[in-house]
Amino acid sequence: MPSPPFHLALPVDDLQAADRFYAGLLGCPRGRRSERWIDYDFWGHQLVAHLVPAGAMPSLARNPVDGEDIPASHFGVVLPWEELEQLIARLTASGVEFAIAPTVRFAARRGEQKTCFVRDPAGNYLEFKAFRNIDMLFASDGLDYP
């Protein structure tokens, strides 16, 4: 049975810029909307951009993972490897600045994955990744990762 879709609401300080990013650049279909929020179909999940004052945007702590300084607050989607490659090419061609450039994490180990981070216009971090072996997505192998 497929997993149920998740719902994520996130703050943005410019709804039109958020719409250009999520609907325009990422290609997420729009759902319901108002003057203060817009629903998006984020690869089968419900993402809602809520307009907040610029001063209300949350701060972002970081955490070290496999040699990278990862934003502790982020979200994203796990894609098939080829689809991630296509998205990275589209982001690169559009001139998007990567917060963390496309890289392979845990190379040649269980859980090997390709990942990249971008920021939306409000500063929210998104991670897009693909696993070399999708069976490792929730694997608990008893190993500690640096």
Side-chain angles (χ1 to χ4, degrees), residues 7 12 16 20 34 66 70 85 101 122 128 139 146:
H7 163 83
V12 300
Q16 289 74 32
R20 287 189 299 274
S34 81
D66 198 35
I70 304 300
E85 293 286 351
F128 296 98

Side-chain angles (χ1 to χ4, degrees), residues 25-26 84-98 100-102 114 116-118:
L25 179 61
L26 296 183
L84 177 62
E85 293 286 351
Q86 293 169 1
L87 177 59
I88 289 169
R90 189 166 75 241
L91 293 170
T92 301
S94 295
V96 168
E97 183 178 333
F98 289 94
I100 297 177
K114 186 163 192 170
C116 66
F117 281 77
V118 298

Side-chain angles (χ1 to χ4, degrees), residues 51-109:
L51 184 62
V52 301
M57 295 299 294
S59 62
L60 298 172
R62 294 186 170 264
N63 190 32
V65 178
D66 198 35
E68 295 285 350
D69 197 21
I70 304 300
S73 178
H74 67 272
F75 71 98
V77 66
V78 178
L79 300 170
W81 201 278
E82 177 67 26
E83 191 174 338
L84 177 62
E85 293 286 351
Q86 293 169 1
L87 177 59
I88 289 169
R90 189 166 75 241
L91 293 170
T92 301
S94 295
V96 168
E97 183 178 333
F98 289 94
I100 297 177
T103 187
V104 174
R105 187 180 299 154
F106 310 125
R109 298 187 337 210

Side-chain angles (χ1 to χ4, degrees), residues 42-57:
F42 188 77
W43 283 269
H45 304 282
Q46 185 189 37
L47 177 67
V48 186
H50 283 275
L51 184 62
V52 301
M57 295 299 294

Side-chain angles (χ1 to χ4, degrees), residues 110 136 138-145:
R110 288 174 50 107
M136 295 292 104
F138 295 113
S140 175
D141 55 16
L143 299 176
D144 289 330
Y145 290 87

